[in-house]
DNA sequence: CCCAATTTGTTCGTATGTATC
DNA sequence: AGATACATACGAACAAATTGG
């Protein structure tokens, strides 16, 4: 009888990684939620029969994934922690560091998802929410004068989409829309992809968004979808003018829109 | 004059985290790619003026994010590493552990993205690629007899989509489609969400996919889009029958479709 | 305000494991 | 097979942060 084969696809895990996985599934199995305190370092050292350094490295692995947080002092310890959107964004951003994402790639997703979001939200928003959207829009009611204003307006328009996403009841849709917006914002900032020629063109975004809010308020889902489809295609075309290959960078976490 | 305020939103980073961030931006600034060797532990200890344990924890953090890998022995060391799709999937999956994703949530995304993918691929695939797709389809040319076969067929059908995604030139689209398929596969496996009633209904997926491959071969993008839209809505409806709130779990990494 | 207890955070010295030559 | 160069692991000590008396 052949021995229990370990497929080579399953890499040998270092001890801290093993411990991290063990703790992970332990938390899972017991259904411990955010805020639950794990055993102390000393306790874990005893349970796993390993040195302090090893245990600490394991905890660092979990912490890097955003799954736990640790505090010092009495009543301190290691606590189960809900992965933040900022961390998830940063971690996923790392994946695309070496993948050559283009403006086209990102807009292909946005063109598919944003109209879906708009249709989804029509007639579902409170007047407070609609007012919040209109509030962001005022940031670019005036045409930009300087490149700096230009940049701010572009970022603000991305914030509009982020706010819209936040109102969605679908966490996955919400995350993806904000993630793609973040990627774009990152490009515009890091590559200075906001130059003179498009000055009036961006301001046309204001018109789209005003019409969108109207459609959302009226509860006309198909109109909202059509407007955002149009908006996305236009924005795509504009960004395309300054097409560049995206040299995405590691995201130092925290800088989310 | 007030002191330079540190906004509380910017949390104080522990030393290993600082080191990890420093190494990250160091790699970035120098444009080092996968395979590049970082200085040895001992070297890093010297550069940062910190103890071995601290440096090791920093490296663990980067390793947990999938950004580096370390090897022992002569010629060993810490190497820049391209984040794998499996790791990115696992890390993002962690984020959705506490978010209550439903079947509807996931299918809302699939219904938006999969047709887009199909339209994108029409007329772009080689005969070899088309044959590979047809090959996967043979896995469920026979109606399932047992629940076990049923499950396998469902997984195989998800694999079909994963294979399709792999052929896309858009890394973001590719990742998202495979990620959503993985989430679904995870549900079906963990919640045993493949039960008797749908036996013949799943087999109707075969028909969809056969027509899809035909459209792809013919280069008819709009037909492909329509077929997949239909297919998604149907699959959604079927899964909905066994609707459950998704109790996603931590993904132990590596189990990708 | 300070002191003491608790818990994580950091350091150093040493020893072991592993891959290359 | 043995030497070398590296990561990996251990253990004991000390430092820093937080809480409560």
């Amino acid at each position: 009888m052949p021995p229990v084969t370990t497929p080579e696809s399953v890499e040998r895990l270092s001890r801290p990684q093993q411990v991290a996985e063990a703790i992970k599934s332990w938390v899972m199995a017991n259904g411990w939620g955010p805020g639950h305190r794990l055993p102390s370092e000393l306790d874990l050292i005893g349970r796993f029969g390993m040195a302090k350094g090893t245990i600490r490295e394991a905890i660092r692995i979990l912490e890097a994934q955003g799954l736990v947080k640790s505090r010092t002092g009495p009543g301190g310890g290691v606590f189960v922690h809900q992965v933040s959107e900022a961390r998830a964004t940063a971690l996923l951003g790392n994946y695309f560091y070496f993948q050559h994402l283009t403006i086209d790639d990102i807009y292909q997703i946005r063109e598919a998802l944003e109209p879906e979001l708009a249709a989804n939200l029509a007639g579902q928003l409170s007047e407070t929410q609609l007012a919040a959207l209109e509030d962001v829009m005022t940031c670019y009611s005036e045409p930009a004068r300087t490149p700096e204003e230009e940049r701010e307006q572009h970022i603000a328009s991305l914030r509009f989409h982020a706010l819209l996403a936040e109102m969605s009841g679908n966490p996955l849709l919400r995350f993806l829309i904000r993630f793609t917006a973040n990627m774009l914002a990152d490009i515009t900032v890091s590559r200075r992809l906001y130059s003179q020629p498009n000055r009036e063109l961006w301001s046309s975004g204001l018109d789209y968004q005003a019409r969108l809010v109207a459609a959302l308020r009226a509860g006309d889902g198909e109109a909202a979808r059509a407007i955002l489809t149009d908006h996305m295609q236009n924005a795509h075309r504009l960004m395309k003018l300054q097409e560049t290959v995206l040299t995405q960078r590691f995201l130092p976490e925290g800088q989310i829109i």
Side-chain angles (χ1 to χ4, degrees), chain A residues 144-254:
Chain A
R145 305 258 167 169
T146 67
E148 187 56 26
E149 275 183 33
E150 170 78 20
R151 185 189 78 90
E152 279 171 17
Q153 289 198 356
H154 186 199
I155 300 296
S157 87
L158 289 174
R159 189 189 305 275
F160 178 88
H161 289 272
L163 188 57
L164 211 57
E166 207 164 341
M167 297 171 183
S168 165
N170 183 340
L172 183 54
L173 180 57
R174 186 167 31 193
F175 175 82
L176 294 180
I177 286 187
R178 289 166 64 102
F179 179 74
T180 51
N182 261 297
M183 295 287 273
L184 274 181
D186 213 56
I187 302 174
T188 59
V189 171
S190 72
R191 311 279 298 181
R192 295 199 167 30
L193 212 59
Y194 42 90
S195 50
Q196 306 288 26
N198 291 338
R199 197 174 291 187
E200 334 72 44
L201 297 178
W202 278 121
S203 79
S204 74
L206 177 63
D207 177 50
Y208 281 113
Q209 296 182 356
R211 289 197 289 130
L212 175 63
V213 172
L216 290 175
R217 184 174 272 125
D220 188 344
E222 286 319 304
R225 186 193 299 273
I227 290 168
L228 212 31
T229 299
D230 237 39
H231 179 30
M232 278 296 121
Q233 287 172 353
N234 198 38
H236 185 175
R237 191 170 53 75
L238 297 180
M239 291 287 294
K240 247 321 238 199
L241 292 176
Q242 298 122 304
E243 166 81 84
T244 342
V245 175
L246 162 56
T247 310
Q248 180 69 18
R249 15 175 262 278
F250 290 131
L251 301 174
E253 177 153 6

Side-chain angles (χ1 to χ4, degrees), chain A residues 58-113:
Chain A
I59 290 173
R60 269 343 192 334
I61 290 173
L62 295 176
E63 205 168 59
Q65 300 178 347
L67 294 169
V68 304
K69 268 212 182 313
S70 44
R71 289 200 307 267
T72 62
V78 180
F79 298 84
V80 177
H81 191 258
Q82 183 163 3
V83 181
S84 71
E85 186 187 328
R87 176 148 281 160
T89 299
L91 293 173
L92 187 57
N94 286 341
Y95 171 65
F96 289 107
Y97 178 82
F98 293 113
Q99 313 275 344
H100 302 322
L101 280 194
T102 64
I103 302 283
D104 285 340
D105 291 335
I106 298 176
Y107 266 102
Q108 187 174 23
I109 305 302
R110 298 192 88 202
E111 284 170 15
L113 294 185

